[in-house]
PDB file of all heavy atoms in Angstrom:
ATOM      1  N   LEU A 322       7.382  53.224 -36.588  1.00 97.00           N
ATOM      2  CA  LEU A 322       7.602  53.349 -35.141  1.00 97.00           C
ATOM      3  C   LEU A 322       6.383  52.840 -34.369  1.00 97.00           C
ATOM      4  O   LEU A 322       6.515  52.106 -33.384  1.00 97.00           O
ATOM      5  CB  LEU A 322       7.889  54.821 -34.809  1.00 97.00           C
ATOM      6  CG  LEU A 322       8.436  55.140 -33.419  1.00 97.00           C
ATOM      7  CD1 LEU A 322       9.718  54.400 -33.135  1.00 97.00           C
ATOM      8  CD2 LEU A 322       8.659  56.647 -33.282  1.00 97.00           C
ATOM      9  N   MET A 325       5.950  49.046 -34.010  1.00 95.00           N
ATOM     10  CA  MET A 325       6.895  48.323 -33.157  1.00 95.00           C
ATOM     11  C   MET A 325       6.386  48.137 -31.733  1.00 95.00           C
ATOM     12  O   MET A 325       7.053  47.535 -30.902  1.00 95.00           O
ATOM     13  CB  MET A 325       8.239  49.059 -33.166  1.00 95.00           C
ATOM     14  CG  MET A 325       8.920  48.898 -34.520  1.00 95.00           C
ATOM     15  SD  MET A 325      10.130  50.164 -34.898  1.00 95.00           S
ATOM     16  CE  MET A 325      11.370  49.781 -33.732  1.00 95.00           C
ATOM     17  N   LYS A 376      26.927  41.614 -37.873  1.00 28.00           N
ATOM     18  CA  LYS A 376      26.059  42.284 -36.886  1.00 28.00           C
ATOM     19  C   LYS A 376      24.959  43.106 -37.552  1.00 28.00           C
ATOM     20  O   LYS A 376      24.192  43.754 -36.887  1.00 28.00           O
ATOM     21  CB  LYS A 376      26.897  43.220 -36.015  1.00 28.00           C
ATOM     22  CG  LYS A 376      27.641  42.498 -34.933  1.00 28.00           C
ATOM     23  CD  LYS A 376      28.303  43.502 -34.033  1.00 28.00           C
ATOM     24  CE  LYS A 376      29.491  42.867 -33.341  1.00 28.00           C
ATOM     25  NZ  LYS A 376      30.355  43.836 -32.745  1.00 28.00           N
ATOM     26  N   ARG A 377      24.954  43.117 -38.888  1.00 26.00           N
ATOM     27  CA  ARG A 377      23.992  43.943 -39.594  1.00 26.00           C
ATOM     28  C   ARG A 377      22.560  43.494 -39.340  1.00 26.00           C
ATOM     29  O   ARG A 377      22.256  42.328 -39.315  1.00 26.00           O
ATOM     30  CB  ARG A 377      24.247  43.806 -41.105  1.00 26.00           C
ATOM     31  CG  ARG A 377      25.504  44.494 -41.555  1.00 26.00           C
ATOM     32  CD  ARG A 377      25.147  45.731 -42.346  1.00 26.00           C
ATOM     33  NE  ARG A 377      26.330  46.512 -42.546  1.00 26.00           N
ATOM     34  CZ  ARG A 377      27.115  46.366 -43.600  1.00 26.00           C
ATOM     35  NH1 ARG A 377      26.839  45.482 -44.501  1.00 26.00           N
ATOM     36  NH2 ARG A 377      28.158  47.128 -43.733  1.00 26.00           N
ATOM     37  N   GLY A 378      21.645  44.500 -39.255  1.00 32.00           N
ATOM     38  CA  GLY A 378      20.231  44.233 -39.401  1.00 32.00           C
ATOM     39  C   GLY A 378      19.594  43.385 -38.348  1.00 32.00           C
ATOM     40  O   GLY A 378      18.950  43.908 -37.467  1.00 32.00           O
ATOM     41  N   VAL A 379      19.795  42.092 -38.462  1.00 42.00           N
ATOM     42  CA  VAL A 379      19.492  41.223 -37.321  1.00 42.00           C
ATOM     43  C   VAL A 379      18.045  40.941 -37.010  1.00 42.00           C
ATOM     44  O   VAL A 379      17.719  40.777 -35.867  1.00 42.00           O
ATOM     45  CB  VAL A 379      20.161  41.774 -36.047  1.00 42.00           C
ATOM     46  CG1 VAL A 379      21.629  41.805 -36.209  1.00 42.00           C
ATOM     47  CG2 VAL A 379      19.649  43.131 -35.679  1.00 42.00           C
ATOM     48  N   TYR A 380      17.200  40.857 -37.961  1.00 45.00           N
ATOM     49  CA  TYR A 380      15.794  40.617 -37.625  1.00 45.00           C
ATOM     50  C   TYR A 380      15.279  39.270 -38.120  1.00 45.00           C
ATOM     51  O   TYR A 380      14.125  38.952 -37.949  1.00 45.00           O
ATOM     52  CB  TYR A 380      14.922  41.762 -38.170  1.00 45.00           C
ATOM     53  CG  TYR A 380      15.524  43.064 -37.756  1.00 45.00           C
ATOM     54  CD1 TYR A 380      16.451  43.708 -38.541  1.00 45.00           C
ATOM     55  CD2 TYR A 380      15.263  43.594 -36.497  1.00 45.00           C
ATOM     56  CE1 TYR A 380      17.069  44.867 -38.115  1.00 45.00           C
ATOM     57  CE2 TYR A 380      15.880  44.745 -36.068  1.00 45.00           C
ATOM     58  CZ  TYR A 380      16.774  45.373 -36.878  1.00 45.00           C
ATOM     59  OH  TYR A 380      17.384  46.492 -36.449  1.00 45.00           O
ATOM     60  N   ASP A 398      21.897  38.380 -33.459  1.00 41.00           N
ATOM     61  CA  ASP A 398      21.940  39.566 -32.606  1.00 41.00           C
ATOM     62  C   ASP A 398      20.538  40.026 -32.218  1.00 41.00           C
ATOM     63  O   ASP A 398      20.318  40.539 -31.144  1.00 41.00           O
ATOM     64  CB  ASP A 398      22.643  40.681 -33.396  1.00 41.00           C
ATOM     65  CG  ASP A 398      23.192  41.752 -32.483  1.00 41.00           C
ATOM     66  OD1 ASP A 398      23.196  41.507 -31.273  1.00 41.00           O
ATOM     67  OD2 ASP A 398      23.620  42.798 -32.972  1.00 41.00           O
ATOM     68  N   PHE A 399      19.586  39.831 -33.144  1.00 41.00           N
ATOM     69  CA  PHE A 399      18.227  40.262 -32.834  1.00 41.00           C
ATOM     70  C   PHE A 399      17.265  39.101 -32.805  1.00 41.00           C
ATOM     71  O   PHE A 399      16.157  39.204 -32.318  1.00 41.00           O
ATOM     72  CB  PHE A 399      17.773  41.273 -33.879  1.00 41.00           C
ATOM     73  CG  PHE A 399      16.719  42.210 -33.366  1.00 41.00           C
ATOM     74  CD1 PHE A 399      16.522  42.395 -32.006  1.00 41.00           C
ATOM     75  CD2 PHE A 399      15.921  42.905 -34.234  1.00 41.00           C
ATOM     76  CE1 PHE A 399      15.560  43.268 -31.538  1.00 41.00           C
ATOM     77  CE2 PHE A 399      14.949  43.776 -33.773  1.00 41.00           C
ATOM     78  CZ  PHE A 399      14.782  43.958 -32.420  1.00 41.00           C
ATOM     79  N   GLU A 402      16.188  38.340 -29.286  1.00 44.00           N
ATOM     80  CA  GLU A 402      15.334  39.384 -28.728  1.00 44.00           C
ATOM     81  C   GLU A 402      13.914  39.213 -29.263  1.00 44.00           C
ATOM     82  O   GLU A 402      12.931  39.364 -28.577  1.00 44.00           O
ATOM     83  CB  GLU A 402      15.892  40.746 -29.139  1.00 44.00           C
ATOM     84  CG  GLU A 402      15.238  41.940 -28.502  1.00 44.00           C
ATOM     85  CD  GLU A 402      13.795  42.176 -28.858  1.00 44.00           C
ATOM     86  OE1 GLU A 402      13.505  42.419 -30.035  1.00 44.00           O
ATOM     87  OE2 GLU A 402      12.939  42.118 -27.967  1.00 44.00           O
ATOM     88  N   ALA A 414      10.967  46.943 -37.350  1.00 95.00           N
ATOM     89  CA  ALA A 414      12.307  47.226 -36.808  1.00 95.00           C
ATOM     90  C   ALA A 414      13.371  47.030 -37.886  1.00 95.00           C
ATOM     91  O   ALA A 414      14.310  47.831 -38.010  1.00 95.00           O
ATOM     92  CB  ALA A 414      12.581  46.324 -35.606  1.00 95.00           C
ATOM     93  N   ALA A 415      13.222  45.959 -38.689  1.00 94.00           N
ATOM     94  CA  ALA A 415      14.188  45.702 -39.766  1.00 94.00           C
ATOM     95  C   ALA A 415      14.142  46.826 -40.800  1.00 94.00           C
ATOM     96  O   ALA A 415      15.175  47.292 -41.280  1.00 94.00           O
ATOM     97  CB  ALA A 415      13.879  44.360 -40.436  1.00 94.00           C
ATOM     98  N   LEU A 417      13.222  49.915 -40.295  1.00 96.00           N
ATOM     99  CA  LEU A 417      13.800  51.119 -39.686  1.00 96.00           C
ATOM    100  C   LEU A 417      15.329  51.049 -39.705  1.00 96.00           C
ATOM    101  O   LEU A 417      16.015  52.043 -39.952  1.00 96.00           O
ATOM    102  CB  LEU A 417      13.283  51.256 -38.247  1.00 96.00           C
ATOM    103  CG  LEU A 417      13.361  52.658 -37.639  1.00 96.00           C
ATOM    104  CD1 LEU A 417      12.520  53.640 -38.435  1.00 96.00           C
ATOM    105  CD2 LEU A 417      12.882  52.618 -36.191  1.00 96.00           C
ATOM    106  N   ASP A 418      15.866  49.860 -39.453  1.00 95.00           N
ATOM    107  CA  ASP A 418      17.311  49.642 -39.488  1.00 95.00           C
ATOM    108  C   ASP A 418      17.861  50.009 -40.867  1.00 95.00           C
ATOM    109  O   ASP A 418      18.832  50.767 -40.999  1.00 95.00           O
ATOM    110  CB  ASP A 418      17.587  48.158 -39.178  1.00 95.00           C
ATOM    111  CG  ASP A 418      19.070  47.836 -39.065  1.00 95.00           C
ATOM    112  OD1 ASP A 418      19.904  48.615 -39.562  1.00 95.00           O
ATOM    113  OD2 ASP A 418      19.392  46.791 -38.498  1.00 95.00           O
ATOM    114  N   ALA A 421      17.668  53.654 -41.607  1.00 96.00           N
ATOM    115  CA  ALA A 421      18.705  54.389 -40.871  1.00 96.00           C
ATOM    116  C   ALA A 421      20.025  54.356 -41.625  1.00 96.00           C
ATOM    117  O   ALA A 421      20.729  55.367 -41.742  1.00 96.00           O
ATOM    118  CB  ALA A 421      18.877  53.790 -39.475  1.00 96.00           C
ATOM    119  N   LEU A 436      10.161  59.956 -31.021  1.00 96.00           N
ATOM    120  CA  LEU A 436      10.960  59.089 -30.138  1.00 96.00           C
ATOM    121  C   LEU A 436      10.992  59.653 -28.718  1.00 96.00           C
ATOM    122  O   LEU A 436      10.837  58.918 -27.740  1.00 96.00           O
ATOM    123  CB  LEU A 436      12.395  58.956 -30.660  1.00 96.00           C
ATOM    124  CG  LEU A 436      12.711  57.751 -31.549  1.00 96.00           C
ATOM    125  CD1 LEU A 436      14.142  57.846 -32.041  1.00 96.00           C
ATOM    126  CD2 LEU A 436      12.502  56.428 -30.822  1.00 96.00           C
ATOM    127  N   LEU A 440       9.754  57.730 -25.465  1.00 96.00           N
ATOM    128  CA  LEU A 440      10.728  57.386 -24.409  1.00 96.00           C
ATOM    129  C   LEU A 440      10.284  57.898 -23.042  1.00 96.00           C
ATOM    130  O   LEU A 440      10.576  57.285 -22.014  1.00 96.00           O
ATOM    131  CB  LEU A 440      12.109  57.964 -24.753  1.00 96.00           C
ATOM    132  CG  LEU A 440      12.891  57.235 -25.857  1.00 96.00           C
ATOM    133  CD1 LEU A 440      14.111  58.046 -26.264  1.00 96.00           C
ATOM    134  CD2 LEU A 440      13.319  55.835 -25.411  1.00 96.00           C
ATOM    135  N   GLU A 449       8.928  50.878 -24.348  1.00 96.00           N
ATOM    136  CA  GLU A 449       9.623  49.674 -24.832  1.00 96.00           C
ATOM    137  C   GLU A 449       9.857  49.751 -26.336  1.00 96.00           C
ATOM    138  O   GLU A 449      10.949  49.446 -26.842  1.00 96.00           O
ATOM    139  CB  GLU A 449       8.778  48.439 -24.463  1.00 96.00           C
ATOM    140  CG  GLU A 449       9.486  47.102 -24.611  1.00 96.00           C
ATOM    141  CD  GLU A 449       9.522  46.561 -26.025  1.00 96.00           C
ATOM    142  OE1 GLU A 449       8.761  47.035 -26.907  1.00 96.00           O
ATOM    143  OE2 GLU A 449      10.327  45.655 -26.274  1.00 96.00           O
ATOM    144  N   SER A 450       8.817  50.191 -27.089  1.00 97.00           N
ATOM    145  CA  SER A 450       8.949  50.250 -28.558  1.00 97.00           C
ATOM    146  C   SER A 450       9.976  51.307 -28.967  1.00 97.00           C
ATOM    147  O   SER A 450      10.709  51.133 -29.951  1.00 97.00           O
ATOM    148  CB  SER A 450       7.588  50.534 -29.205  1.00 97.00           C
ATOM    149  OG  SER A 450       7.144  51.843 -28.885  1.00 97.00           O
ATOM    150  N   ALA A 451      10.048  52.397 -28.227  1.00 97.00           N
ATOM    151  CA  ALA A 451      11.020  53.450 -28.561  1.00 97.00           C
ATOM    152  C   ALA A 451      12.445  52.968 -28.308  1.00 97.00           C
ATOM    153  O   ALA A 451      13.379  53.304 -29.050  1.00 97.00           O
ATOM    154  CB  ALA A 451      10.724  54.697 -27.728  1.00 97.00           C
ATOM    155  N   ILE A 452      12.620  52.175 -27.259  1.00 97.00           N
ATOM    156  CA  ILE A 452      13.961  51.633 -26.962  1.00 97.00           C
ATOM    157  C   ILE A 452      14.382  50.656 -28.065  1.00 97.00           C
ATOM    158  O   ILE A 452      15.534  50.649 -28.506  1.00 97.00           O
ATOM    159  CB  ILE A 452      13.981  50.971 -25.564  1.00 97.00           C
ATOM    160  CG1 ILE A 452      13.774  52.056 -24.486  1.00 97.00           C
ATOM    161  CG2 ILE A 452      15.292  50.231 -25.323  1.00 97.00           C
ATOM    162  CD1 ILE A 452      13.463  51.501 -23.100  1.00 97.00           C
ATOM    163  N   LEU A 453      13.424  49.850 -28.533  1.00 96.00           N
ATOM    164  CA  LEU A 453      13.689  48.963 -29.668  1.00 96.00           C
ATOM    165  C   LEU A 453      14.098  49.787 -30.891  1.00 96.00           C
ATOM    166  O   LEU A 453      15.076  49.453 -31.582  1.00 96.00           O
ATOM    167  CB  LEU A 453      12.434  48.126 -29.978  1.00 96.00           C
ATOM    168  CG  LEU A 453      12.373  47.414 -31.336  1.00 96.00           C
ATOM    169  CD1 LEU A 453      13.527  46.440 -31.488  1.00 96.00           C
ATOM    170  CD2 LEU A 453      11.052  46.667 -31.493  1.00 96.00           C
ATOM    171  N   ALA A 454      13.374  50.874 -31.159  1.00 97.00           N
ATOM    172  CA  ALA A 454      13.683  51.724 -32.315  1.00 97.00           C
ATOM    173  C   ALA A 454      15.090  52.311 -32.203  1.00 97.00           C
ATOM    174  O   ALA A 454      15.844  52.349 -33.182  1.00 97.00           O
ATOM    175  CB  ALA A 454      12.646  52.842 -32.428  1.00 97.00           C
ATOM    176  N   LEU A 455      15.463  52.754 -31.006  1.00 97.00           N
ATOM    177  CA  LEU A 455      16.826  53.280 -30.804  1.00 97.00           C
ATOM    178  C   LEU A 455      17.877  52.241 -31.167  1.00 97.00           C
ATOM    179  O   LEU A 455      18.884  52.551 -31.799  1.00 97.00           O
ATOM    180  CB  LEU A 455      17.019  53.669 -29.330  1.00 97.00           C
ATOM    181  CG  LEU A 455      16.600  55.059 -28.884  1.00 97.00           C
ATOM    182  CD1 LEU A 455      16.858  55.202 -27.390  1.00 97.00           C
ATOM    183  CD2 LEU A 455      17.351  56.138 -29.661  1.00 97.00           C
ATOM    184  N   GLY A 456      17.626  51.009 -30.763  1.00 96.00           N
ATOM    185  CA  GLY A 456      18.559  49.928 -31.094  1.00 96.00           C
ATOM    186  C   GLY A 456      18.595  49.659 -32.587  1.00 96.00           C
ATOM    187  O   GLY A 456      19.664  49.479 -33.177  1.00 96.00           O
ATOM    188  N   ALA A 457      17.406  49.661 -33.208  1.00 95.00           N
ATOM    189  CA  ALA A 457      17.333  49.388 -34.648  1.00 95.00           C
ATOM    190  C   ALA A 457      18.080  50.445 -35.454  1.00 95.00           C
ATOM    191  O   ALA A 457      18.684  50.154 -36.480  1.00 95.00           O
ATOM    192  CB  ALA A 457      15.865  49.321 -35.086  1.00 95.00           C
ATOM    193  N   MET A 458      18.078  51.686 -34.971  1.00 96.00           N
ATOM    194  CA  MET A 458      18.700  52.795 -35.711  1.00 96.00           C
ATOM    195  C   MET A 458      20.197  52.938 -35.404  1.00 96.00           C
ATOM    196  O   MET A 458      20.868  53.787 -35.990  1.00 96.00           O
ATOM    197  CB  MET A 458      17.992  54.109 -35.358  1.00 96.00           C
ATOM    198  CG  MET A 458      16.554  54.171 -35.856  1.00 96.00           C
ATOM    199  SD  MET A 458      15.590  55.424 -34.973  1.00 96.00           S
ATOM    200  CE  MET A 458      16.426  56.918 -35.482  1.00 96.00           C
ATOM    201  N   ALA A 459      20.711  52.107 -34.519  1.00 95.00           N
ATOM    202  CA  ALA A 459      22.076  52.325 -34.009  1.00 95.00           C
ATOM    203  C   ALA A 459      23.118  52.368 -35.114  1.00 95.00           C
ATOM    204  O   ALA A 459      23.969  53.257 -35.147  1.00 95.00           O
ATOM    205  CB  ALA A 459      22.435  51.241 -32.996  1.00 95.00           C
ATOM    206  N   GLU A 460      23.053  51.414 -36.037  1.00 92.00           N
ATOM    207  CA  GLU A 460      24.123  51.341 -37.032  1.00 92.00           C
ATOM    208  C   GLU A 460      24.093  52.524 -37.990  1.00 92.00           C
ATOM    209  O   GLU A 460      25.100  53.188 -38.215  1.00 92.00           O
ATOM    210  CB  GLU A 460      24.010  50.038 -37.830  1.00 92.00           C
ATOM    211  CG  GLU A 460      25.164  49.889 -38.802  1.00 92.00           C
ATOM    212  CD  GLU A 460      24.971  48.765 -39.798  1.00 92.00           C
ATOM    213  OE1 GLU A 460      23.999  48.003 -39.678  1.00 92.00           O
ATOM    214  OE2 GLU A 460      25.811  48.659 -40.700  1.00 92.00           O
ATOM    215  N   GLY A 461      22.900  52.811 -38.534  1.00 93.00           N
ATOM    216  CA  GLY A 461      22.821  53.847 -39.559  1.00 93.00           C
ATOM    217  C   GLY A 461      22.914  55.259 -39.010  1.00 93.00           C
ATOM    218  O   GLY A 461      23.424  56.163 -39.677  1.00 93.00           O
ATOM    219  N   CYS A 462      22.400  55.474 -37.813  1.00 93.00           N
ATOM    220  CA  CYS A 462      22.292  56.846 -37.291  1.00 93.00           C
ATOM    221  C   CYS A 462      23.324  57.182 -36.223  1.00 93.00           C
ATOM    222  O   CYS A 462      23.212  58.227 -35.575  1.00 93.00           O
ATOM    223  CB  CYS A 462      20.890  57.063 -36.711  1.00 93.00           C
ATOM    224  SG  CYS A 462      19.590  57.115 -37.953  1.00 93.00           S
ATOM    225  N   ILE A 463      24.328  56.334 -35.998  1.00 92.00           N
ATOM    226  CA  ILE A 463      25.233  56.534 -34.861  1.00 92.00           C
ATOM    227  C   ILE A 463      25.865  57.934 -34.886  1.00 92.00           C
ATOM    228  O   ILE A 463      25.989  58.589 -33.852  1.00 92.00           O
ATOM    229  CB  ILE A 463      26.311  55.425 -34.777  1.00 92.00           C
ATOM    230  CG1 ILE A 463      27.170  55.578 -33.527  1.00 92.00           C
ATOM    231  CG2 ILE A 463      27.157  55.346 -36.007  1.00 92.00           C
ATOM    232  CD1 ILE A 463      26.440  55.396 -32.223  1.00 92.00           C
ATOM    233  N   ILE A 466      23.095  60.219 -33.644  1.00 93.00           N
ATOM    234  CA  ILE A 466      22.597  59.929 -32.294  1.00 93.00           C
ATOM    235  C   ILE A 466      23.682  60.210 -31.260  1.00 93.00           C
ATOM    236  O   ILE A 466      23.396  60.475 -30.094  1.00 93.00           O
ATOM    237  CB  ILE A 466      22.127  58.442 -32.194  1.00 93.00           C
ATOM    238  CG1 ILE A 466      20.864  58.232 -33.044  1.00 93.00           C
ATOM    239  CG2 ILE A 466      21.848  58.033 -30.755  1.00 93.00           C
ATOM    240  CD1 ILE A 466      20.309  56.828 -33.010  1.00 93.00           C
ATOM    241  N   LEU A 470      23.770  60.559 -26.994  1.00 95.00           N
ATOM    242  CA  LEU A 470      24.052  59.365 -26.179  1.00 95.00           C
ATOM    243  C   LEU A 470      24.421  59.722 -24.735  1.00 95.00           C
ATOM    244  O   LEU A 470      24.216  58.909 -23.829  1.00 95.00           O
ATOM    245  CB  LEU A 470      25.164  58.523 -26.817  1.00 95.00           C
ATOM    246  CG  LEU A 470      24.741  57.721 -28.065  1.00 95.00           C
ATOM    247  CD1 LEU A 470      25.917  56.947 -28.624  1.00 95.00           C
ATOM    248  CD2 LEU A 470      23.588  56.766 -27.760  1.00 95.00           C
ATOM    249  N   LEU A 473      21.095  59.562 -23.445  1.00 96.00           N
ATOM    250  CA  LEU A 473      20.383  58.295 -23.698  1.00 96.00           C
ATOM    251  C   LEU A 473      20.971  57.113 -22.928  1.00 96.00           C
ATOM    252  O   LEU A 473      20.231  56.273 -22.415  1.00 96.00           O
ATOM    253  CB  LEU A 473      20.380  57.984 -25.196  1.00 96.00           C
ATOM    254  CG  LEU A 473      19.394  58.797 -26.040  1.00 96.00           C
ATOM    255  CD1 LEU A 473      19.602  58.538 -27.523  1.00 96.00           C
ATOM    256  CD2 LEU A 473      17.949  58.467 -25.644  1.00 96.00           C
ATOM    257  N   LEU A 477      18.974  54.691 -20.506  1.00 98.00           N
ATOM    258  CA  LEU A 477      18.855  53.238 -20.708  1.00 98.00           C
ATOM    259  C   LEU A 477      19.323  52.476 -19.462  1.00 98.00           C
ATOM    260  O   LEU A 477      18.709  51.478 -19.063  1.00 98.00           O
ATOM    261  CB  LEU A 477      19.672  52.806 -21.938  1.00 98.00           C
ATOM    262  CG  LEU A 477      19.121  53.282 -23.296  1.00 98.00           C
ATOM    263  CD1 LEU A 477      20.130  53.019 -24.407  1.00 98.00           C
ATOM    264  CD2 LEU A 477      17.796  52.601 -23.622  1.00 98.00           C
ATOM    265  N   ILE A 491      14.635  44.453 -23.686  1.00 96.00           N
ATOM    266  CA  ILE A 491      14.913  45.234 -24.904  1.00 96.00           C
ATOM    267  C   ILE A 491      15.983  46.281 -24.622  1.00 96.00           C
ATOM    268  O   ILE A 491      16.789  46.613 -25.494  1.00 96.00           O
ATOM    269  CB  ILE A 491      13.627  45.887 -25.473  1.00 96.00           C
ATOM    270  CG1 ILE A 491      13.853  46.308 -26.926  1.00 96.00           C
ATOM    271  CG2 ILE A 491      13.175  47.101 -24.675  1.00 96.00           C
ATOM    272  CD1 ILE A 491      14.165  45.187 -27.863  1.00 96.00           C
ATOM    273  N   THR A 492      16.048  46.772 -23.393  1.00 98.00           N
ATOM    274  CA  THR A 492      17.077  47.754 -23.026  1.00 98.00           C
ATOM    275  C   THR A 492      18.457  47.114 -23.097  1.00 98.00           C
ATOM    276  O   THR A 492      19.419  47.747 -23.564  1.00 98.00           O
ATOM    277  CB  THR A 492      16.806  48.325 -21.620  1.00 98.00           C
ATOM    278  OG1 THR A 492      15.482  48.871 -21.598  1.00 98.00           O
ATOM    279  CG2 THR A 492      17.796  49.405 -21.257  1.00 98.00           C
ATOM    280  N   CYS A 493      18.552  45.857 -22.667  1.00 97.00           N
ATOM    281  CA  CYS A 493      19.833  45.133 -22.800  1.00 97.00           C
ATOM    282  C   CYS A 493      20.257  45.092 -24.263  1.00 97.00           C
ATOM    283  O   CYS A 493      21.413  45.376 -24.604  1.00 97.00           O
ATOM    284  CB  CYS A 493      19.695  43.697 -22.287  1.00 97.00           C
ATOM    285  SG  CYS A 493      19.512  43.574 -20.513  1.00 97.00           S
ATOM    286  N   TRP A 494      19.296  44.712 -25.120  1.00 96.00           N
ATOM    287  CA  TRP A 494      19.635  44.582 -26.537  1.00 96.00           C
ATOM    288  C   TRP A 494      20.127  45.905 -27.115  1.00 96.00           C
ATOM    289  O   TRP A 494      21.134  45.978 -27.819  1.00 96.00           O
ATOM    290  CB  TRP A 494      18.413  44.075 -27.319  1.00 96.00           C
ATOM    291  CG  TRP A 494      18.722  43.931 -28.766  1.00 96.00           C
ATOM    292  CD1 TRP A 494      19.481  42.967 -29.359  1.00 96.00           C
ATOM    293  CD2 TRP A 494      18.337  44.824 -29.810  1.00 96.00           C
ATOM    294  NE1 TRP A 494      19.574  43.194 -30.692  1.00 96.00           N
ATOM    295  CE2 TRP A 494      18.883  44.322 -31.006  1.00 96.00           C
ATOM    296  CE3 TRP A 494      17.564  45.989 -29.844  1.00 96.00           C
ATOM    297  CZ2 TRP A 494      18.685  44.945 -32.239  1.00 96.00           C
ATOM    298  CZ3 TRP A 494      17.369  46.612 -31.083  1.00 96.00           C
ATOM    299  CH2 TRP A 494      17.927  46.089 -32.253  1.00 96.00           C
ATOM    300  N   THR A 495      19.415  46.978 -26.783  1.00 97.00           N
ATOM    301  CA  THR A 495      19.785  48.288 -27.325  1.00 97.00           C
ATOM    302  C   THR A 495      21.135  48.755 -26.770  1.00 97.00           C
ATOM    303  O   THR A 495      21.961  49.310 -27.504  1.00 97.00           O
ATOM    304  CB  THR A 495      18.655  49.307 -27.043  1.00 97.00           C
ATOM    305  OG1 THR A 495      17.513  48.900 -27.795  1.00 97.00           O
ATOM    306  CG2 THR A 495      19.040  50.714 -27.441  1.00 97.00           C
ATOM    307  N   LEU A 496      21.397  48.500 -25.499  1.00 98.00           N
ATOM    308  CA  LEU A 496      22.727  48.830 -24.951  1.00 98.00           C
ATOM    309  C   LEU A 496      23.815  48.050 -25.704  1.00 98.00           C
ATOM    310  O   LEU A 496      24.902  48.580 -25.966  1.00 98.00           O
ATOM    311  CB  LEU A 496      22.783  48.506 -23.455  1.00 98.00           C
ATOM    312  CG  LEU A 496      22.153  49.565 -22.533  1.00 98.00           C
ATOM    313  CD1 LEU A 496      21.977  49.005 -21.122  1.00 98.00           C
ATOM    314  CD2 LEU A 496      22.990  50.853 -22.496  1.00 98.00           C
ATOM    315  N   GLY A 497      23.514  46.793 -26.057  1.00 97.00           N
ATOM    316  CA  GLY A 497      24.473  46.001 -26.853  1.00 97.00           C
ATOM    317  C   GLY A 497      24.761  46.655 -28.195  1.00 97.00           C
ATOM    318  O   GLY A 497      25.886  46.640 -28.682  1.00 97.00           O
ATOM    319  N   ARG A 498      23.720  47.264 -28.792  1.00 96.00           N
ATOM    320  CA  ARG A 498      23.894  47.912 -30.100  1.00 96.00           C
ATOM    321  C   ARG A 498      24.775  49.169 -30.002  1.00 96.00           C
ATOM    322  O   ARG A 498      25.354  49.599 -30.995  1.00 96.00           O
ATOM    323  CB  ARG A 498      22.530  48.295 -30.682  1.00 96.00           C
ATOM    324  CG  ARG A 498      21.611  47.121 -30.963  1.00 96.00           C
ATOM    325  CD  ARG A 498      21.885  46.477 -32.291  1.00 96.00           C
ATOM    326  NE  ARG A 498      21.313  47.240 -33.383  1.00 96.00           N
ATOM    327  CZ  ARG A 498      21.444  46.903 -34.665  1.00 96.00           C
ATOM    328  NH1 ARG A 498      22.143  45.840 -34.999  1.00 96.00           N
ATOM    329  NH2 ARG A 498      20.892  47.635 -35.613  1.00 96.00           N
ATOM    330  N   TYR A 499      24.839  49.766 -28.809  1.00 97.00           N
ATOM    331  CA  TYR A 499      25.685  50.958 -28.617  1.00 97.00           C
ATOM    332  C   TYR A 499      26.962  50.627 -27.835  1.00 97.00           C
ATOM    333  O   TYR A 499      27.676  51.532 -27.409  1.00 97.00           O
ATOM    334  CB  TYR A 499      24.888  52.073 -27.911  1.00 97.00           C
ATOM    335  CG  TYR A 499      23.825  52.656 -28.796  1.00 97.00           C
ATOM    336  CD1 TYR A 499      22.497  52.276 -28.659  1.00 97.00           C
ATOM    337  CD2 TYR A 499      24.162  53.553 -29.811  1.00 97.00           C
ATOM    338  CE1 TYR A 499      21.510  52.786 -29.497  1.00 97.00           C
ATOM    339  CE2 TYR A 499      23.185  54.071 -30.654  1.00 97.00           C
ATOM    340  CZ  TYR A 499      21.856  53.674 -30.502  1.00 97.00           C
ATOM    341  OH  TYR A 499      20.902  54.175 -31.342  1.00 97.00           O
TER     342      TYR A 499
END
Side-chain angles (χ1 to χ4, degrees):
L322 193 57
M325 289 158 68
K376 281 187 204 165
R377 288 252 169 91
V379 299
Y380 310 90
D398 201 11
F399 206 19
E402 188 295 297
L417 201 61
D418 185 341
L436 266 176
L440 285 170
E449 193 279 344
S450 67
I452 294 167
L453 164 60
L455 274 179
M458 293 160 65
E460 184 191 353
C462 290
I463 185 65
I466 291 181
L470 286 179
L473 284 173
L477 291 170
I491 198 62
T492 304
C493 290
W494 180 74
T495 294
L496 280 167
R498 297 276 281 178
Y499 290 101

